[in-house]
Structures are given as structure tokens and as C-alpha cells.
Amino acid sequence: MTRRTLLIAANWKMNPAPAGFDAADSPFRKDGDIDVFVFPASLDIAKCVSAGIITGGQCGRRESSGAFTGDVSMTMLKAAGCASVLCGHSERRKFHGETDQAVGEQVKAAIDAGLTPIACVGETLSEREEGKTFDVVKKQISSLPPEISIIAYEPVWAIGTGKSATAAQAQEVHAYIRTLLKNPCRIIYGGSLNVANAKELLSQPDIDGGLIGGASLKIEEFHSIVNTARTLK
Ligand code: PGA
């Protein structure tokens, strides 16, 4: 069986675009056989789109317009040239109270707007320690419409901590998630993915790419991860 096309996604969070992101040889550009998406802060979406980078929003509201101070809608992201959007990143769930139901509604609105949403799921440390990982991701996934085509498994305890899941831990949850899905879907891993662990994580049969925060802000490191992915395609 040929591999699903690997997707390497950069989540810059609330950080400026790294210097050189728009250079001709930038690793943030799609190149060859793998997909590369970039999720910049909203104010940097336009410059990524005009640089020819496949760009996504870090969040979007389901309503297309209205009295929602500070937010942007899925239709606005599409009109700005975005191809994708993150839905339910753990930082949105934590700092903005996004529920499983709201995340499901966002995913549906994103698909309706012509975007490819990436729905983020994952357990906290205490949930893992209590043996609830599968239950948590099952509940999160049960709120998503069946048309979802990309899921990011991001254990909350691994995000920004420098402590990634082991390849075996990640593979186990990815394989479980796949059993829950009716339609073909790419399942990417996020949580302290870096140049040292990329090869092992991305070699797992059910890991179809990575959602990368900290290491995506260091252009050389991101370049190495993209090159690693390319050798595994
Ligand atoms: P990290 O972030 O790579 O810095 O752990 C990943 C994410 O939050 O998507």
C-alpha cells in the first residue's frame, strides 16, 4: 500500500513569522511529494498567502459574520485565501473554552466554506494517567462530522513541553483513532515534534505527518523536519 501523503504543518501560534519564511527556498513552501501548511497569526495570513504558501487560520467562528468581537469567520478565512483552519487546538479549548460541540460546529462550517479543517484532539496528563486516553479522544471525535479529512492527535502534556509522546504511544492512539473513522483521513501528530524525534514518529504506519509549534519557528530546524519527511514519503 502506498503511504498517505505526509503533511507537515507549522503552527506559529501568537508569534511573528520567522525571518526568511517567504524566501524562494523556504521550507514553508510545498515542494515535491509532501504537503506543507502554515498556520500564522491572523494578521500574517495575507503575507503568507501572497508569498504563495498554503495557509490556514489558527481558529475560525462558525457564524459567517456578526457581533463577535475579536473573531474571524470561516468564510472570511476562505476569502483571505486560506486553504485550511485549525479547529479545537488545545490552547483554544483551554483559553477560549471551546467545547467538543463547538469544535464539531467549526469543522462543519469550515467544510461548508470550502476549507480543509484540521481537528485537534488529545488528552491531558491526568487523563492519560487515569487510563482515559481512548475515552477522551473517542468523545472528541464523536462530535466531528464524518467528512473530516485531517485530524491532529496532540496529547496536551506534550505540547510546548519538550516531552513528546514516544513513537509507540503516538502510534497506538493514531491506530485507535483510525478505527473510529468511517472515511479516509490523515492523522498527524503534534506535541514537541522536533528534528531529533521526527524520523521515528513520522515512520509509524498510522502517523501521516506533524503539527509543529516551537520547532516551526526555527527555520533551519523546520527545514530538517521537512527533509526528513521527504525521505519517508
Ligand atoms: P509544540 O506545539 O510543537 O510547540 O509542542 C504543537 C502544537 O501546539 O500544535
Side-chain angles (χ1 to χ4, degrees), residues 17-29:
F21 80 94
D22 54 353
D25 62 349
S26 160
F28 297 111
R29 296 182 186 285

Side-chain angles (χ1 to χ4, degrees), residues 101-157:
Q101 188 193 333
V103 174
E105 289 168 358
Q106 288 167 21
V107 167
K108 181 166 184 321
I111 294 170
D112 290 348
L115 298 165
T116 301
I118 301 181
C120 304
V121 300
E123 80 288 0
T124 63
L125 184 59
S126 59
E127 289 164 342
R128 175 162 282 264
E129 286 173 349
E130 288 164 27
K132 294 186 185 151
T133 298
F134 283 10
D135 292 345
V136 170
V137 298
K138 184 175 186 182
K139 181 165 172 295
Q140 291 169 330
I141 285 170
S142 69
S143 307
L144 302 176
E147 301 81 24
I148 186 74
S149 62
I150 311 178
I151 287 176
Y153 169 58
E154 299 202 295
V156 178
W157 47 272

